[in-house]
């Protein structure tokens, strides 16, 4: 009897611990349905990045950066290959923040640092999206998925609008000039 009670307690404890790792639908998404797997989450992250880059006018060149996977999550990264001058960073980050807000993302935090500013946001379905400016002026985007069902994850299918740098690590620093984004002085008149 005592052994049976101990086994039942262990099973109940294991069930309680596993219940804490609910699916994306259980924890953050208003829609119900089958649980998302890591590949589907990676595709959702890619779609978020695609939409963000499509909103940037004038267009910037970008390249995929590394994809990493955890036990139940995926991180997709992209690096802007267009030079964003210090004088245009505020315009660039303001455009991104407005687009994310218009698309229902909650702005979780803003780092207003002059040299290395960043914006941290979250979609309604629990995906964290960030844009950061690095020490050398490089601009990086990242999407972290929530915990989802384990699966294999394929490389992104979105095509960069410039050189791919697929087999290059680390990526080079931004090297594409834009008359607008790379400008070092504000237009007058």
């Amino acid at each position: 009897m005592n052994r049976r009670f101990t086994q039942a307690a262990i099973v109940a404890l294991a069930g309680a611990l596993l219940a804490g790792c609910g699916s994306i639908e259980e924890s953050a998404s208003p829609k119900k349905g089958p649980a998302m797997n890591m590949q589907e989450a990676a595709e959702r992250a890619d779609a978020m990045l695609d939409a963000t880059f499509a909103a940037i006018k004038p267009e910037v060149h970008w390249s995929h950066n590394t994809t990493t996977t955890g036990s139940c999550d995926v991180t997709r990264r992209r690096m802007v290959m267009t030079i964003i001058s210090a004088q245009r960073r505020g315009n660039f980050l303001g455009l991104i923040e407005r687009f994310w807000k218009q698309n229902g993302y909650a702005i979780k935090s803003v780092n207003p640092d002059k040299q290395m500013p960043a914006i941290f946001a979250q979609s309604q379905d629990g995906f964290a999206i960030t844009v950061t400016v690095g020490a050398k002026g490089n601009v990086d985007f990242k999407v972290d998925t929530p915990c989802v069902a384990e699966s294999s994850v394929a490389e992104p299918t979105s095509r960069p609008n410039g050189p791919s740098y697929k087999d290059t690590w680390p990526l080079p620093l931004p090297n594409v000039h834009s008359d607008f984004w790379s400008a070092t002085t504000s237009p007058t008149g």
Side-chain angles (χ1 to χ4, degrees):
M1 177 106 152
N2 193 16
R3 184 175 180 180
R4 199 174 284 162
F5 176 77
T6 302
Q7 288 174 337
I10 290 171
V11 169
L13 178 61
L17 291 172
L18 290 174
C21 293
S23 72
I24 184 172
E25 280 79 13
E26 292 170 346
S27 62
S29 177
K31 68 177 187 176
K32 298 295 179 197
M36 184 179 284
N37 66 31
M38 290 169 71
Q39 178 59 42
E40 293 165 332
E43 291 169 4
R44 167 79 171 109
D46 292 339
M48 291 170 65
L49 291 167
D50 288 344
T52 298
F53 276 89
I56 300 170
K57 303 292 183 219
E59 178 181 76
V60 294
H61 286 256
W62 61 270
S63 183
H64 290 289
N65 207 332
T66 58
T67 293
T68 54
T69 58
S71 60
C72 68
D73 61 327
V74 180
T75 299
R76 290 285 213 215
R77 296 174 181 86
R78 291 186 188 176
M79 183 170 165
V80 175
M81 300 312 297
T82 299
I83 299 163
I84 309 294
S85 69
Q87 291 81 0
R88 295 291 190 192
R89 282 183 197 151
N91 298 63
F92 186 83
L93 295 172
L95 183 150
I96 300 302
E97 184 174 1
R98 282 188 302 279
F99 175 76
W100 287 349
K101 284 179 178 178
Q102 290 166 356
N103 284 276
Y105 297 175
I107 304 302
K108 295 297 190 178
S109 177
V110 174
N111 177 357
D113 184 82
K114 294 276 187 214
Q115 296 301 313
M116 297 191 317
I119 303 171
F120 304 86
Q122 185 172 15
S123 67
Q124 293 175 352
D125 53 356
F127 286 68
I129 187 167
T130 63
V131 58
T132 58
V133 176
K136 305 234 184 223
N138 49 302
V139 177
D140 298 293
F141 285 82
K142 177 175 80 164
V143 176
D144 294 313
T145 73
C147 186
V148 294
E150 186 178 0
S151 72
S152 60
V153 177
E155 291 297 315
T157 58
S158 302
R159 296 183 59 127
N161 60 350
S164 170
Y165 301 110
K166 182 179 179 185
D167 298 318
T168 305
W169 180 253
L171 291 178
L173 289 173
N175 54 25
V176 178
H177 179 81
S178 162
D179 288 342
F180 181 77
W181 293 118
S182 306
T184 56
T185 59
S186 298
T188 58

